[in-house]
Amino acid sequence: EFSRIDHSSSRPAMSTSAILILTTFCLAEGSKRGFARTGTGIQELQALSPSVSWTYNWGLSPGPSYRSSAMDFMPMVHDGQINNSPNSGPYNALLGFNEPDINSQAHLNPWEAANMWPLVEQVAQNMGVQTLVSPAMCGDIGKGTSWMGSFLNACQNCRIDAIAIHSYWCTLDGLRSLVDSYRHFGKKIWLTEFACADQNFDVSMNGQIRFMKEVVPWLEQEDIIEKYAWFSYFTNEWRYGITNPNPDAGLVHQNGDLSALGRVYVNLGTARRLADDVNASAGDPIFA
């Protein structure tokens, strides 16, 4: 912690550059940073584990690779097909329905989701989770905040420890605007999917690197953000196309080799914003 730096004159002064290097290295190993991907192998997990602390695969079961890794796995109740039988655990968190506010995902209205939530709470209890995270909202601010407000009003006695959102904005200003729109709900925020996926921006790997360097230090330092997970898919792997070509946002290859983007994600410090000058406007919201 910064407060523990010894400024006593009895010790030789540390140079500014040395302090910055040390601080950047230490803060790169925070517990917020995660990634989202299905079918991740043990070599991929090991390659990311130096500074990526958690992951999920949109399902309840971690699979053998996760069980042999030190990385935290967070299970998810993806949709209304809820299996409330006991499962392996304990886990640190359980994630709620995936994008119930759009038709191609969980597709539930707020009142349906509220009626089902006691079953989700039972799954959380069976798994011994510490944090039960709300359904995850897509990146449309109006649609997402309206859905979440109705859900919380219908589920006032429910256990909801944090709110999950997704973002495919391509600027820090756009992401900030999204996060700010959820502050009034008064809960910590989990950004469980994010990458740059806007046709008006460079969605190549170089574009992803530029975006990542701009936003990750802010996510680390912003108190309301409790966890965040990069959407780790290469350009030919996107199941639901958003741009043409699709974003090249993969962090690691199956053989465990980090992509250029993955190397940035693993090594990116948080003591300051490490971006180039990015002057692009936020543009329109992108739906997750």
Side-chain angles (χ1 to χ4, degrees), residues 54-113:
W54 71 282
T55 185
Y56 77 103
N57 62 6
W58 294 274
L60 285 173
S61 175
S65 297
Y66 298 101
R67 294 191 183 99
S68 57
S69 168
M71 193 177 294
D72 283 341
F73 174 78
M74 310 298 191
M76 169 184 273
V77 175
H78 182 274
D79 52 40
Q81 303 299 312
I82 302 172
N83 177 6
N84 64 354
S85 60
N87 206 312
S88 59
Y91 296 107
N92 285 331
L94 175 66
L95 308 178
F97 307 123
N98 188 66
E99 296 181 343
D101 49 341
I102 61 175
N103 294 344
S104 61
Q105 293 297 321
H107 190 203
L108 297 167
N109 68 46
W111 303 276
E112 290 172 331

Side-chain angles (χ1 to χ4, degrees), residues 120-141:
V120 178
E121 291 179 347
Q122 186 61 55
V123 175
Q125 182 176 335
N126 293 344
M127 291 183 165
V129 303
Q130 301 171 13
T131 303
L132 179 52
V133 184
S134 79
M137 299 292 95
C138 74
D140 183 324
I141 292 176

